[in-house]
Every structure is written in C-alpha cells, then in structure tokens.
Amino acid sequence: MGLFNTFDVAGSALSAQSLRLNLTASNLANMNNVAGSADEVYRARHAVFRSAEPTFADRLAAVGVRVLGVVESRAPAIERFDPGHPEADENGLVYAANVNAVEEMANMLSASRSYQSNLEVINTAKQLLLRTLSLGQG
Amino acid sequence: MDPIFGIHASALLLRSQRMDVLATNLANADTPHYKARDFDFATALDRAAGRGGLRVTHRRHIGGPSSAPSSDLAYRVPHQPAVDGNTVEADLELARFAENSVAYQASLSFLDGRISTLRLALTGGR
C-alpha cells in the first residue's frame, strides 16, 4: 500500500541527511587540527548518496536513498610555516586539515533543508493516513 | 471499479501512488545522477476508469497498456539542471506534493460523503 511506503522512502532520506549533517559537524569540529605530516592530519569526510534503484524488470516507483559510504576528501592538506609549533617537521611546516569551511556551511544548509522537507512529507503522509483510517466514521 | 464509490476509489489509489513518487523525488533531492519522475494523473485516472487505451471486445483481442501507473512513469524536464546530473527541484516537488495531498483529502471527503449518504439511506435517518 502506498502510504506506508512513503514512510520508508522519507525515513531513508532522513537518516541519510542526518549522517551528512553529522559529517559536516565532524569536519567543522576538526577544521583546525594540525599534524606533523600530511598523512596523519584529519581529512574532510563526505557521504556518497545513491538512490536505491530497483532493476529494470521491477519498475516499482518508490525508492529511497542509500548511503554508499563515507569518503575522505583527496584535496591536499594545507601546509603552514610554523617552526615554533611542537608538531612542526624539520622544514618548520605543519599540515592543517583540508576542510573548506564555506563548502561545509553550504552542505549543512542543504542537509538541514532536505531534512525539513522530508519531515514534512512524513507529517503529511501521517495525517492523510489517519484521515483514511477514520473514513466513514464521521 | 466499484460503482458505489465511482471514480473516487481509483482516484484515491492513484493519489497515494503519486504521493509515493513525489516522496521518492524529495528523498533523492541530493542524490547525484537521480532523475525526477512523475506520472500524468489525468491519463492514469482515465486508464483506471477504462477510458483511453484500447477497448477489448473479444477475448482474443490484445488490450492496451496495463493500468499500473508505474508503467507510465516519465522523467521530468528540469528548469534548472544541476551539475551533478540530479533533476529534482525540491521546492517544486514540495509544491506538487502539497497539491497532491490536498487532492487526496478531496477524494477522501467525496468518499466520506458517499458513505454517509449510503448510511442515511440504509438506516432511514434513525
């Protein structure tokens, strides 16, 4: 039945978007991390979304969203010349996390908007289902 | 369809199926390469009511397409395509979702009215 499916679909989007919001929080929290080498420093993490697409034989309409995994950004770590830093290497360089704050803020806004719209879908579906259940009782 | 409820029973079913499709679009608003889909409600309702398509008057005739709306899902043409290949426009989808849910409630009201009419006829207003 249609309406119960709507909850699954919108629910999958809610969990995907909350994962994205969590990753944004993690990236922003670790934005100022520094390390002595480019390999050790924190790297920005992003979720990869994919629609849970059915095969062509089964063209069922409702498909949720699936998180394929979390990938680390391949952008180079930011080198900073800071010879007084305890973590600095022999050239006086420290490596800062490759988090782009502007990108993360945009991501956060997008994730929270998507979360809101999916929540609205669930609320509307719930109301319609409740009205359907009380059909003919009035 | 059941003549007691007329077209409203199939309309309600189709509205709930369309709600599924629109919810899918909204859920995948941030999925790369996802293409937004929808179906034409009027055509689907015509088909569910037995109008449109091919009429079968002999058992060896081959009918038209089935009445399942999932078989005539079409891809939406976006007004502003995104770089990642996604064609969902979340605000438009939300507007269509609201319109669809209002129409669903309208169908529910029609059904409710039909049921209370029948009940009145059965009980004679007692």
Side-chain angles (χ1 to χ4, degrees):
Chain A
M1 181 53 201
L3 286 173
F4 293 108
N5 230 334
T6 308
F7 291 120
D8 289 346
V9 169
S12 74
L14 284 189
S15 74
Q17 298 296 347
S18 74
L19 174 73
R20 189 168 159 214
L21 213 51
N22 275 340
L23 290 173
T24 301
S26 157
N27 291 344
L28 284 175
N30 289 289
M31 195 171 72
N32 294 317
N33 283 12
V34 288
S37 81
D39 302 329
E40 291 169 23
V41 76
Y42 179 88
R43 291 181 169 277
R45 283 155 202 195
H46 299 285
V48 181
F49 290 170
R50 174 72 60 83
S51 68
E53 201 72 50
T55 56
F56 279 103
D58 172 29
R59 284 194 293 178
L60 193 68
V63 288
V65 59
R66 191 157 59 92
V67 180
L68 275 192
V70 176
V71 291
E72 288 195 322
S73 165
R74 278 179 300 200
I78 300 159
E79 291 178 5
R80 199 184 297 149
F81 184 64
D82 190 359
H85 198 283
E87 296 261 26
D89 63 6
E90 63 271 16
N91 300 320
L93 291 172
V94 289
Y95 297 87
N98 59 352
V99 177
N100 183 340
V102 178
E103 203 177 280
E104 295 303 329
M105 291 306 281
N107 243 329
M108 185 185 81
L109 281 179
S110 165
S112 75
R113 287 277 175 236
S114 299
Y115 195 93
Q116 281 175 15
S117 60
N118 279 294
L119 212 54
E120 199 175 316
V121 167
I122 288 186
N123 265 331
T124 311
K126 192 185 88 183
Q127 281 172 13
L128 293 183
L129 196 59
L130 287 177
R131 280 207 58 189
T132 314
L133 284 177
S134 63
L135 187 65
Q137 289 175 1
Chain B
M1 215 57 223
D2 197 332
I4 296 175
F5 293 126
I7 196 79
H8 302 304
S10 359
L12 198 68
L13 193 63
L14 282 171
R15 285 288 174 202
S16 84
Q17 276 164 344
R18 179 150 189 251
M19 183 147 85
D20 254 4
V21 176
L22 296 179
T24 303
N25 288 345
L26 274 169
N28 287 289
D30 294 316
T31 309
H33 307 297
Y34 177 82
K35 308 291 181 208
R37 287 174 296 188
D38 200 356
F39 63 84
D40 182 33
F41 183 80
T43 316
L45 190 62
D46 271 355
R47 195 170 290 172
R51 297 191 296 268
L54 295 176
R55 192 185 299 173
V56 180
T57 53
H58 188 272
R59 64 182 173 83
R60 297 184 72 179
H61 284 173
I62 298 169
S66 73
S67 63
S70 58
S71 60
D72 45 43
L73 277 182
Y75 292 105
R76 219 189 272 299
V77 179
H79 296 104
Q80 296 175 18
V83 186
D84 63 356
N86 186 304
T87 63
V88 180
E89 286 156 317
D91 39 1
L92 289 179
E93 296 295 337
L94 214 51
R96 290 190 189 100
F97 187 84
E99 175 244 315
N100 191 57
S101 69
V102 168
Y104 184 95
Q105 298 211 29
S107 286
L108 271 185
S109 305
F110 284 128
L111 283 174
D112 238 353
R114 194 62 69 90
I115 289 170
S116 51
T117 309
L118 281 174
R119 186 173 283 163
L120 187 67
L122 286 172
T123 60
R126 272 174 294 163

